[in-house]
Amino acid sequence: IGSGSSGLFWATMAHSDISDITLSDFSSLPFKYVKTLLNSKFLPYAYTQAMQLHNISYTDVLRTFSLNITLEILDVFKKWEIKRVYNNISAMGLLGLSGDTQRLKYLISEVYMHLENDGVFFGASWLFSDKYSREINIGYVESFLKIFLRKTGEIDFFSKK
């Protein structure tokens, strides 16, 4: 969710079997970049740099690009009209955009409703104030929030410098 133009980047880094990918964002604008990327043999420097770091081949990237990819406009802070559930949902850089505790809790509840049993949600984001960190009751946070949620009900909030 909130994939922007880098959603395929995160899917490429996955080290498990993926059958399909749904990229969602508030706007269709990032999808223009994604479509250009899918139709090109050229990979941006950020991809090649990460590929080298994680020992991922060009063939692996092309395999990811050849999967069934759906592009969906979605405001994740409102009721999701999506009728399916997912094995994995990720949100990179999105959580801090919620702006307040209620919107973050709403987002997490929507994620939970759209996960398969034993599905996994992982989100990581920068927080924009100490006040916001205190509001969501995670103590002092320098600037980063990670959330890991498994559909079994386990939820873990932790921060990292």
Side-chain angles (χ1 to χ4, degrees), residues 49-68:
Q49 197 176 28
M51 288 165 59
Q52 290 172 357
L53 182 66
H54 296 283
N55 198 28
I56 293 172
S57 72
Y58 186 71
T59 304
D60 293 334
V61 172
L62 291 181
R63 185 193 65 79
T64 301
F65 284 15
S66 69
L67 295 173
N68 179 30

mmCIF file of all heavy atoms in Angstrom, residues 49-68:
data_model
loop_
_atom_site.group_PDB
_atom_site.id
_atom_site.type_symbol
_atom_site.label_atom_id
_atom_site.label_comp_id
_atom_site.label_asym_id
_atom_site.label_seq_id
_atom_site.Cartn_x
_atom_site.Cartn_y
_atom_site.Cartn_z
ATOM 1 N N GLN A 49 21.816 -0.961 -7.537
ATOM 2 C CA GLN A 49 22.575 -0.867 -6.297
ATOM 3 C C GLN A 49 22.061 -1.891 -5.278
ATOM 4 O O GLN A 49 22.835 -2.616 -4.662
ATOM 5 C CB GLN A 49 22.443 0.555 -5.749
ATOM 6 C CG GLN A 49 23.443 0.933 -4.735
ATOM 7 C CD GLN A 49 23.283 2.403 -4.343
ATOM 8 O OE1 GLN A 49 22.199 2.979 -4.414
ATOM 9 N NE2 GLN A 49 24.375 3.012 -3.937
ATOM 10 N N ALA A 50 20.742 -1.963 -5.110
ATOM 11 C CA ALA A 50 20.143 -2.918 -4.174
ATOM 12 C C ALA A 50 20.348 -4.357 -4.657
ATOM 13 O O ALA A 50 20.547 -5.262 -3.847
ATOM 14 C CB ALA A 50 18.656 -2.624 -4.009
ATOM 15 N N MET A 51 20.296 -4.575 -5.961
ATOM 16 C CA MET A 51 20.526 -5.914 -6.514
ATOM 17 C C MET A 51 21.918 -6.406 -6.137
ATOM 18 O O MET A 51 22.080 -7.562 -5.733
ATOM 19 C CB MET A 51 20.354 -5.892 -8.036
ATOM 20 C CG MET A 51 18.918 -5.742 -8.487
ATOM 21 S SD MET A 51 18.778 -5.294 -10.238
ATOM 22 C CE MET A 51 19.615 -6.652 -11.036
ATOM 23 N N GLN A 52 22.899 -5.545 -6.275
ATOM 24 C CA GLN A 52 24.267 -5.919 -5.923
ATOM 25 C C GLN A 52 24.381 -6.216 -4.433
ATOM 26 O O GLN A 52 24.987 -7.209 -4.028
ATOM 27 C CB GLN A 52 25.240 -4.810 -6.316
ATOM 28 C CG GLN A 52 25.415 -4.671 -7.798
ATOM 29 C CD GLN A 52 26.238 -3.442 -8.176
ATOM 30 O OE1 GLN A 52 26.631 -2.654 -7.324
ATOM 31 N NE2 GLN A 52 26.483 -3.285 -9.469
ATOM 32 N N LEU A 53 23.781 -5.371 -3.623
ATOM 33 C CA LEU A 53 23.843 -5.527 -2.173
ATOM 34 C C LEU A 53 23.200 -6.833 -1.706
ATOM 35 O O LEU A 53 23.689 -7.491 -0.798
ATOM 36 C CB LEU A 53 23.164 -4.328 -1.493
ATOM 37 C CG LEU A 53 23.175 -4.308 0.026
ATOM 38 C CD1 LEU A 53 24.602 -4.148 0.542
ATOM 39 C CD2 LEU A 53 22.301 -3.169 0.534
ATOM 40 N N HIS A 54 22.098 -7.235 -2.360
ATOM 41 C CA HIS A 54 21.337 -8.418 -1.942
ATOM 42 C C HIS A 54 21.530 -9.619 -2.862
ATOM 43 O O HIS A 54 20.785 -10.594 -2.772
ATOM 44 C CB HIS A 54 19.852 -8.073 -1.831
ATOM 45 C CG HIS A 54 19.580 -7.055 -0.772
ATOM 46 N ND1 HIS A 54 19.573 -7.363 0.561
ATOM 47 C CD2 HIS A 54 19.334 -5.725 -0.856
ATOM 48 C CE1 HIS A 54 19.328 -6.271 1.261
ATOM 49 N NE2 HIS A 54 19.173 -5.268 0.423
ATOM 50 N N ASN A 55 22.483 -9.524 -3.778
ATOM 51 C CA ASN A 55 22.805 -10.628 -4.687
ATOM 52 C C ASN A 55 21.574 -11.099 -5.485
ATOM 53 O O ASN A 55 21.263 -12.285 -5.541
ATOM 54 C CB ASN A 55 23.433 -11.789 -3.918
ATOM 55 C CG ASN A 55 24.167 -12.742 -4.835
ATOM 56 O OD1 ASN A 55 24.656 -12.343 -5.893
ATOM 57 N ND2 ASN A 55 24.225 -14.004 -4.456
ATOM 58 N N ILE A 56 20.886 -10.144 -6.083
ATOM 59 C CA ILE A 56 19.702 -10.433 -6.893
ATOM 60 C C ILE A 56 20.075 -10.203 -8.357
ATOM 61 O O ILE A 56 20.657 -9.176 -8.709
ATOM 62 C CB ILE A 56 18.524 -9.542 -6.473
ATOM 63 C CG1 ILE A 56 18.094 -9.932 -5.044
ATOM 64 C CG2 ILE A 56 17.362 -9.661 -7.438
ATOM 65 C CD1 ILE A 56 17.094 -9.024 -4.434
ATOM 66 N N SER A 57 19.748 -11.163 -9.189
ATOM 67 C CA SER A 57 20.133 -11.090 -10.599
ATOM 68 C C SER A 57 19.117 -10.299 -11.422
ATOM 69 O O SER A 57 17.969 -10.111 -11.018
ATOM 70 C CB SER A 57 20.261 -12.504 -11.172
ATOM 71 O OG SER A 57 18.987 -13.083 -11.322
ATOM 72 N N TYR A 58 19.569 -9.901 -12.591
ATOM 73 C CA TYR A 58 18.694 -9.226 -13.548
ATOM 74 C C TYR A 58 17.534 -10.155 -13.928
ATOM 75 O O TYR A 58 16.402 -9.715 -14.076
ATOM 76 C CB TYR A 58 19.521 -8.825 -14.777
ATOM 77 C CG TYR A 58 18.767 -7.984 -15.774
ATOM 78 C CD1 TYR A 58 18.439 -6.665 -15.488
ATOM 79 C CD2 TYR A 58 18.400 -8.503 -17.005
ATOM 80 C CE1 TYR A 58 17.759 -5.881 -16.400
ATOM 81 C CE2 TYR A 58 17.716 -7.730 -17.932
ATOM 82 C CZ TYR A 58 17.396 -6.432 -17.622
ATOM 83 O OH TYR A 58 16.717 -5.659 -18.522
ATOM 84 N N THR A 59 17.802 -11.449 -14.022
ATOM 85 C CA THR A 59 16.761 -12.447 -14.320
ATOM 86 C C THR A 59 15.695 -12.460 -13.222
ATOM 87 O O THR A 59 14.499 -12.558 -13.512
ATOM 88 C CB THR A 59 17.389 -13.849 -14.463
ATOM 89 O OG1 THR A 59 18.397 -13.793 -15.468
ATOM 90 C CG2 THR A 59 16.353 -14.890 -14.826
ATOM 91 N N ASP A 60 16.113 -12.349 -11.962
ATOM 92 C CA ASP A 60 15.161 -12.300 -10.842
ATOM 93 C C ASP A 60 14.248 -11.082 -10.968
ATOM 94 O O ASP A 60 13.042 -11.169 -10.734
ATOM 95 C CB ASP A 60 15.890 -12.228 -9.491
ATOM 96 C CG ASP A 60 16.667 -13.481 -9.159
ATOM 97 O OD1 ASP A 60 16.288 -14.569 -9.659
ATOM 98 O OD2 ASP A 60 17.663 -13.373 -8.418
ATOM 99 N N VAL A 61 14.832 -9.955 -11.337
ATOM 100 C CA VAL A 61 14.050 -8.728 -11.484
ATOM 101 C C VAL A 61 13.046 -8.885 -12.626
ATOM 102 O O VAL A 61 11.866 -8.545 -12.487
ATOM 103 C CB VAL A 61 14.965 -7.509 -11.726
ATOM 104 C CG1 VAL A 61 14.151 -6.267 -12.062
ATOM 105 C CG2 VAL A 61 15.851 -7.263 -10.517
ATOM 106 N N LEU A 62 13.497 -9.428 -13.758
ATOM 107 C CA LEU A 62 12.591 -9.623 -14.899
ATOM 108 C C LEU A 62 11.462 -10.599 -14.547
ATOM 109 O O LEU A 62 10.328 -10.418 -14.983
ATOM 110 C CB LEU A 62 13.364 -10.113 -16.122
ATOM 111 C CG LEU A 62 14.317 -9.105 -16.751
ATOM 112 C CD1 LEU A 62 15.003 -9.717 -17.963
ATOM 113 C CD2 LEU A 62 13.599 -7.822 -17.125
ATOM 114 N N ARG A 63 11.757 -11.616 -13.725
ATOM 115 C CA ARG A 63 10.716 -12.540 -13.276
ATOM 116 C C ARG A 63 9.657 -11.792 -12.459
ATOM 117 O O ARG A 63 8.464 -11.953 -12.669
ATOM 118 C CB ARG A 63 11.316 -13.667 -12.433
ATOM 119 C CG ARG A 63 10.283 -14.737 -12.036
ATOM 120 C CD ARG A 63 10.781 -15.667 -10.950
ATOM 121 N NE ARG A 63 11.023 -15.011 -9.692
ATOM 122 C CZ ARG A 63 10.082 -14.672 -8.813
ATOM 123 N NH1 ARG A 63 8.820 -14.894 -9.075
ATOM 124 N NH2 ARG A 63 10.396 -14.089 -7.677
ATOM 125 N N THR A 64 10.104 -10.922 -11.567
ATOM 126 C CA THR A 64 9.166 -10.122 -10.777
ATOM 127 C C THR A 64 8.329 -9.238 -11.688
ATOM 128 O O THR A 64 7.112 -9.133 -11.530
ATOM 129 C CB THR A 64 9.918 -9.255 -9.742
ATOM 130 O OG1 THR A 64 10.670 -10.111 -8.884
ATOM 131 C CG2 THR A 64 8.956 -8.430 -8.917
ATOM 132 N N PHE A 65 8.974 -8.614 -12.658
ATOM 133 C CA PHE A 65 8.271 -7.723 -13.578
ATOM 134 C C PHE A 65 7.267 -8.471 -14.455
ATOM 135 O O PHE A 65 6.332 -7.876 -14.973
ATOM 136 C CB PHE A 65 9.262 -6.978 -14.472
ATOM 137 C CG PHE A 65 9.993 -5.853 -13.788
ATOM 138 C CD1 PHE A 65 10.004 -5.729 -12.403
ATOM 139 C CD2 PHE A 65 10.687 -4.926 -14.524
ATOM 140 C CE1 PHE A 65 10.683 -4.692 -11.779
ATOM 141 C CE2 PHE A 65 11.367 -3.887 -13.913
ATOM 142 C CZ PHE A 65 11.371 -3.776 -12.546
ATOM 143 N N SER A 66 7.450 -9.776 -14.629
ATOM 144 C CA SER A 66 6.564 -10.549 -15.499
ATOM 145 C C SER A 66 5.343 -11.107 -14.754
ATOM 146 O O SER A 66 4.469 -11.699 -15.374
ATOM 147 C CB SER A 66 7.329 -11.695 -16.156
ATOM 148 O OG SER A 66 7.672 -12.673 -15.187
ATOM 149 N N LEU A 67 5.282 -10.909 -13.448
ATOM 150 C CA LEU A 67 4.149 -11.406 -12.673
ATOM 151 C C LEU A 67 2.886 -10.622 -13.005
ATOM 152 O O LEU A 67 2.936 -9.552 -13.615
ATOM 153 C CB LEU A 67 4.444 -11.277 -11.166
ATOM 154 C CG LEU A 67 5.582 -12.129 -10.630
ATOM 155 C CD1 LEU A 67 5.871 -11.766 -9.180
ATOM 156 C CD2 LEU A 67 5.265 -13.609 -10.755
ATOM 157 N N ASN A 68 1.758 -11.152 -12.569
ATOM 158 C CA ASN A 68 0.493 -10.438 -12.706
ATOM 159 C C ASN A 68 0.533 -9.238 -11.759
ATOM 160 O O ASN A 68 0.519 -9.401 -10.541
ATOM 161 C CB ASN A 68 -0.667 -11.369 -12.356
ATOM 162 C CG ASN A 68 -1.994 -10.677 -12.450
ATOM 163 O OD1 ASN A 68 -2.172 -9.762 -13.240
ATOM 164 N ND2 ASN A 68 -2.927 -11.107 -11.627
#
